[in-house]
Amino acid sequence: MKLITFVAGGQIHWGALHGEMAIDLNLARALFLASRGMEARYLANDVLDFLRQGESAWEAAQETLEFFGHRLMDGISFRQENVTLLAPLSNPSKVIGIGLNYAEHRREHVGESPAYPVLFSKFPSAIIGPDEAITWDATLTQQVDYEGELGIVIGKRARRVSEAEALEFVFGYCNVNDVSARDLQFDEQGARQWTRGKSLDTFCPIGPYIVSRDEIADVQNLAIRTWVNGELRQDSNTANMISGVAQLVSFISHGITLMPGDIIASGTPSGVGHYRQPPVYLKPGDVVEVEVEGLGRLRNPVR
């Protein structure tokens, strides 16, 4: 299942991308129930509400999509080219970033390499969707960088889970661009403002959709790439992650309770602009594209 939030006919909808159709799962579910002579009910308020409802909502959505098929129905299903995709999930309780989780990126980094995952926060207010612009105040930063990453979307409350069971708590995955203001992250006065440098408004593009984990055969064997203006800057594989998805979920959940809809940005491979010689930072007019295999492509212009 590919969960989406989208605009069609001047209205915001949530639902699923089903083949070439964007389907409003609320309206489709109501139609399905009515066709069975049952009270027509909506499925959920939004994607976060859907995730919070758990297995029952998942089963209802699957049943509805199977019933609906690929029919085009006014006000319920829309051709993909006629909708505008938004961030599939804009209101998680938290976004947790992971630093230095690819060996080749650690080699770029100047400083000690930690023996365990490095955690930092990205505020949900930084989230934007596909084709929305990455922007910033030039009086705050002039060293804005890209970081293509695999996003892990939690599906149910996880507290002190083992690595063996950790993937059961994952709903699915999405592309994330961990946009970073390097001159804030590595303050010249000696501060380490990771949260501020990575949480400015528009600094967390995600999307174009969330792919449920049943559609990903092996999350630890996915190509991950980032382009800037069509130039391939990052080219790696999630097999190169130091701490894999199960390890990250387990590690974080020991002390930090993960809730449905929480997003973990699992780290970036080498090729970021900050460590190029000389450094190359984003500028107005650039276009950044992030693609993790099987998760579509996340495109964002820079303004």
Side-chain angles (χ1 to χ4, degrees), residues 2 9 21 70 80 88 111 117 139 170 195 240:
K2 296 179 175 66
M21 299 290 181
H70 299 279
Q80 185 178 352
T139 64
V170 174
T195 297
N240 297 322

Side-chain angles (χ1 to χ4, degrees), residues 271-291:
V272 298
H274 185 66
Y275 294 116
R276 293 170 72 92
Q277 298 298 328
V280 179
Y281 299 111
L282 296 176
K283 62 185 185 304
D286 286 347
V287 175
V288 186
E289 296 173 282
V290 174
E291 182 179 80

Side-chain angles (χ1 to χ4, degrees), residues 4-20:
I4 55 175
T5 301
F6 62 100
V7 177
Q11 301 292 321
I12 296 178
H13 307 254
W14 79 272
L17 192 62
H18 195 54
E20 298 301 314

Side-chain angles (χ1 to χ4, degrees), residues 4 12 20 28 30 44 46 58 70 75 106 115 124 129 131 175 193 222 228 253 260 267 274 289 298 300:
I4 55 175
I12 296 178
E20 298 301 314
D46 55 17
W58 165 264
H70 299 279
R106 284 193 180 187
D131 295 310
N175 297 302
Q193 301 252 14
L222 302 176
V228 178
S253 75
H274 185 66
E289 296 173 282
L298 173 63
N300 296 93

Side-chain angles (χ1 to χ4, degrees), residues 190-203:
R192 290 294 181 264
Q193 301 252 14
W194 280 53
T195 297
R196 187 182 187 214
K198 290 172 172 284
S199 290
L200 299 182
D201 292 348
T202 76
F203 274 27

Side-chain angles (χ1 to χ4, degrees), residues 7-209:
V7 177
Q11 301 292 321
I12 296 178
H13 307 254
W14 79 272
L17 192 62
H18 195 54
E20 298 301 314
M21 299 290 181
I23 297 179
D24 182 316
L25 274 175
N26 271 345
L27 297 177
R29 183 62 181 173
L31 177 64
F32 170 81
L33 292 173
S35 73
R36 297 293 190 271
M38 294 182 281
E39 179 186 355
R41 296 179 182 175
Y42 284 167
L43 191 56
N45 295 324
D46 55 17
V47 169
L48 180 59
D49 187 34
F50 172 76
L51 295 176
R52 285 173 172 166
Q53 291 187 41
E55 192 68 25
S56 61
W58 165 264
E59 292 174 355
Q62 290 283 64
E63 180 181 56
T64 301
L65 290 174
E66 290 172 9
F67 160 78
F68 207 82
H70 299 279
R71 288 180 290 167
L72 184 63
M73 186 169 292
D74 188 43
I76 298 179
S77 62
F78 311 84
R79 297 192 187 281
Q80 185 178 352
E81 62 267 24
N82 295 331
V83 307
T84 300
L85 294 179
L86 305 177
L89 175 65
S90 62
N91 53 343
S93 74
K94 50 190 171 290
V95 180
I96 299 174
I98 306 296
L100 304 174
N101 197 31
Y102 284 77
E104 67 267 30
H105 182 47
R106 284 193 180 187
R107 288 192 288 270
E108 292 180 312
H109 177 74
V110 178
E112 296 183 4
S113 294
Y116 46 81
V118 176
L119 273 58
F120 59 88
S121 296
K122 287 182 78 75
F123 297 142
S125 56
I127 290 175
I128 58 173
D131 295 310
E132 290 189 70
I134 299 167
T135 65
W136 62 87
D137 183 344
T139 64
L140 286 178
T141 176
Q142 296 185 355
Q143 296 181 2
V144 177
D145 205 354
Y146 54 86
E147 292 191 9
E149 308 196 5
L150 168 72
I152 306 162
V153 181
I154 299 300
K156 58 183 179 180
R157 185 178 183 273
R159 183 175 184 272
R160 299 185 63 83
V161 303
S162 68
E163 288 184 24
E165 63 181 344
L167 293 185
E168 299 174 14
F169 293 82
V170 174
F171 174 84
Y173 307 98
C174 65
N175 297 302
V176 175
N177 187 350
D178 176 19
V179 182
S180 305
R182 301 302 190 187
D183 42 359
L184 296 180
Q185 182 183 0
F186 308 117
D187 190 292
E188 291 181 357
Q189 298 181 30
R192 290 294 181 264
Q193 301 252 14
W194 280 53
T195 297
R196 187 182 187 214
K198 290 172 172 284
S199 290
L200 299 182
D201 292 348
T202 76
F203 274 27
C204 189
I206 67 170
Y209 35 71

